[in-house]
Amino acid sequence: PANVGIITGNSMTVKTAALTVSVGNTPTAQTVIRGTTGFTFANLIFDVTGSGEDVRVTSAQAQLFGFDGNEVKNCNLYDGTVSLTSGSNTVNATGEGDQTFTLDNALIVPKGTIKTLAVKCDTLASGDAGQGMWSMSSNETIGATGMTSGNSITATIASSSVTNIMTMAASGSLTVELDGSSPAIRLAQGGQESVLAVLRFSATNEAMDVKQILLQLTNTASNTPADLQKITLWDGATKVGEITATSSDTGLVTTVTG
């Protein structure tokens, strides 16, 4: 018949739902103090950049190595500061191996995006394992479906060389030493404020709350505490301690504030 033609429309690419899960590069291997709550042992990366639709995640498996119920407890998945597991869905492992996190409510990951979920656990104050980690293998199961199609998704578990082994320790440590910027020996004129020493405080494995500092006056053949009207401690431009020397005692304790 007349006036018959072929109309060619735009090409359409059909993509199915897809999900790739991997262990993030952070946190790195470090020391964890026993008794710490809500410590991030690993980050799980949910990648749907190659998906043709939004992905609905209901559960995720991860492997626990080295630790068990005597070392970590109250393990949950977090989206930022929001816990996605709670109550009966909180994981309290009794041994090593695969652990399943069942989400309280399904997590929707929009297509073309990446979502990071943190594995956070409390550590027991009296554990019996020295090292451990959370990881993933190709055998892990992820409960996921396409939001539009409802089709189940077999997630790809990406291979990873991440070694986020955590070492447990009973406590941290504090080191105090004379800083390189500390002034050399010099004469101080009476009535003037002078810098006597610059101290460097270094905390390892955990933050330290310094309450008191013991100061000792040396070379007492030439100096006594009575020669010092007032001793102050400074953190940059902020005064954090003060003591008045009124005796010949060479050991002075000052309380730190701030």
Side-chain angles (χ1 to χ4, degrees), residues 111-195:
K111 64 179 180 180
T113 66
I114 296 174
K115 172 66 69 174
T116 299
L117 301 183
V119 179
K120 296 186 179 185
C121 302
D122 298 341
T123 63
L124 295 176
S126 56
D128 56 13
Q131 293 182 320
M133 63 184 290
W134 283 92
S135 187
M136 300 188 79
S137 73
S138 58
N139 297 323
E140 309 305 331
T141 299
I142 307 297
T145 58
M147 272 294 292
T148 302
S149 66
N151 294 334
S152 296
I153 300 172
T154 300
T156 299
I157 309 300
S159 60
S160 174
S161 59
V162 175
T163 306
N164 55 349
I165 298 176
M166 304 300 174
T167 301
M168 307 304 295
S171 63
S173 61
L174 178 67
T175 301
V176 183
E177 54 189 337
L178 199 65
D179 189 76
S181 64
S182 192
I185 297 175
R186 64 180 181 180
L187 293 175
Q189 184 176 348
Q192 289 187 343
E193 187 175 75
S194 301
V195 176

Side-chain angles (χ1 to χ4, degrees), residues 63-106:
Q63 282 188 331
L64 182 62
F65 291 98
F67 296 150
D68 55 23
N70 295 322
E71 196 66 47
V72 295
K73 64 177 182 178
N74 299 330
C75 297
N76 290 291
L77 283 184
Y78 277 79
D79 180 8
T81 59
V82 178
S83 177
L84 302 181
T85 53
S86 62
S88 60
N89 290 331
T90 294
V91 172
N92 285 291
T94 57
E96 297 180 279
D98 294 337
Q99 311 295 330
T100 300
F101 293 91
T102 300
L103 276 57
D104 296 340
N105 299 289

